[in-house]
Amino acid sequence: MSQANETTASVVTEFFIVGFPGLQPKYYSLIGVLLFIIYIAVITGNSLIVVLFVTERSLHKPMYIIMLSLFLSDIGFCTVALPKVISRYWFNDGYIGFHVCLFQRKLIHYFGTLSLIMMIMALDRYLAICYPLRYPVLITNRTMRLLIGFSWVTAMIAPTISLMQTMKLPFRGPNMIAHCFCDGSSINQLACADATLTNLNAYAVAMFALLYPFKFLVSVLRIANAQGRLKAFSTCATQLTIITIYYVPHFVVYTTSNIHQDQRNQTVLYQMVCPQKQDHQ
């Protein structure tokens, strides 16, 4: 397409990634450099830790297997989300094919649905605190690998169903995505049909994936003894920090879909600057 918007009589064959609406062109190069630095930092940092895990056998423990999975999902999310928006600001190339955009949207939500890994992390700490004597038997390296593998496989279900619902919607224009990448709600807003049910279904799945892990953390809070609760929190302080860094931006993104788009993009930028898994020393 030669223009960012097609007439309502035409069929959309590609979308245009707007990025940060209202940003003046003179800042495009600066934003492109900033996003590129973020991308390189995330990829380099997470890759080094992955290599360290592979080479250092003392790290082959259930908790570090969870961390490894978080690092890999972080690499995947940034690799899917950032290159196109960097291209948009460096080369003014914001166009993305219709099906490529849908594929990007699927992967974006796939790596987001990997919040199920957070549930495994919460379950791991729950068993370690509430059943300390049985923990070594219940959580072995093999068990953890199976749980993580199950999470990676099942995480594809929800994005696939959501994508199939979106593909049933007609798209005849406009085609400007007021976001840094192709996400579900932004694409659905461009459909020439009522996407309310589709958005509600996606929201319900997202809230389940985000909030269900708290079930195990709440169980820890039920420890009657105050000293026991203090010990429990000291035991899982690192995990609580990671979960907080992960949940705050994701919860805001999914629960404020009707706020000004600039605010959503600022939240997305926070997710990229403060990846949910990069700091847990």
Side-chain angles (χ1 to χ4, degrees):
M1 292 187 304
S2 59
Q3 299 179 348
N5 288 296
E6 287 287 341
T7 63
T8 55
S10 61
V11 177
V12 171
T13 59
E14 61 183 359
F15 292 104
F16 184 82
I17 303 295
V18 175
F20 298 93
L23 182 68
Q24 298 182 17
K26 64 181 180 180
Y27 297 119
Y28 282 8
S29 296
L30 178 61
I31 292 297
V33 171
L34 175 62
L35 293 175
F36 181 74
I37 292 174
I38 292 173
Y39 178 64
I40 294 300
V42 171
I43 297 301
T44 302
N46 286 332
S47 297
L48 287 175
I49 299 178
V50 170
V51 172
L52 178 63
F53 175 87
V54 173
T55 57
E56 185 58 56
R57 297 191 61 84
S58 63
L59 297 179
H60 294 186
K61 299 177 181 179
M63 194 64 238
Y64 292 110
I65 293 176
I66 298 176
M67 297 297 185
L68 174 66
S69 190
L70 293 177
F71 293 136
L72 293 175
S73 66
D74 205 24
I75 292 173
F77 177 85
C78 288
T79 299
V80 171
L82 283 179
K84 188 58 190 179
V85 70
I86 292 173
S87 175
R88 186 265 185 274
Y89 284 116
W90 265 3
F91 309 110
N92 198 28
D93 179 21
Y95 290 100
I96 181 171
F98 180 84
H99 291 96
V100 176
C101 186
L102 293 182
F103 183 66
Q104 185 195 55
R105 165 239 169 96
K106 180 177 179 178
L107 293 181
I108 288 290
H109 291 288
Y110 169 64
F111 289 114
T113 309
L114 280 173
S115 58
L116 292 173
I117 297 174
M118 294 292 179
M119 181 177 70
I120 297 177
M121 180 187 293
L123 175 62
D124 175 80
R125 292 300 88 192
Y126 169 76
L127 294 175
I129 293 169
C130 298
Y131 302 95
L133 298 180
R134 298 182 60 189
Y135 175 80
V137 178
L138 295 174
I139 303 296
T140 62
N141 285 354
R142 182 176 182 276
T143 301
M144 185 57 68
R145 285 194 292 267
L146 289 174
L147 290 173
I148 293 296
F150 178 78
S151 297
W152 280 82
V153 173
T154 57
M156 186 60 74
I157 297 176
T160 300
I161 294 175
S162 178
L163 179 63
M164 292 174 62
Q165 293 177 328
T166 296
M167 292 183 68
K168 295 178 181 179
L169 300 174
F171 292 91
R172 301 187 180 90
N175 71 328
M176 298 183 69
I177 297 178
H179 208 304
C180 295
F181 47 74
C182 301
D183 80 313
S185 60
S186 296
I187 294 177
N188 292 342
Q189 289 174 5
L190 301 178
C192 299
D194 185 7
T196 302
L197 181 59
T198 301
N199 289 332
L200 286 176
N201 290 338
Y203 178 80
V205 172
M207 287 300 99
F208 174 81
L210 285 171
L211 298 178
Y212 188 76
F214 280 110
K215 170 184 177 180
F216 300 102
L217 297 179
V218 171
S219 299
V220 173
L221 290 176
R222 293 177 180 175
I223 298 176
N225 188 292
Q227 184 177 359
R229 286 196 296 270
L230 180 62
K231 182 178 179 181
F233 278 111
S234 64
T235 301
C236 57
T238 299
Q239 290 76 14
L240 288 174
T241 301
I242 296 173
I243 290 174
T244 300
I245 294 174
Y246 177 85
Y247 277 112
V248 170
H250 281 73
F251 186 80
V252 171
V253 167
Y254 281 112
T255 57
T256 58
S257 58
N258 294 322
I259 67 175
H260 195 275
Q261 196 66 39
D262 284 347
Q263 292 174 297
R264 283 192 70 190
N265 282 330
Q266 290 170 8
T267 303
V268 172
L269 182 61
Y270 170 79
Q271 289 179 250
M272 295 175 179
V273 174
C274 303
Q276 61 265 33
K277 314 86 165 174
Q278 70 180 20
D279 290 323
H280 54 270
Q281 56 267 38

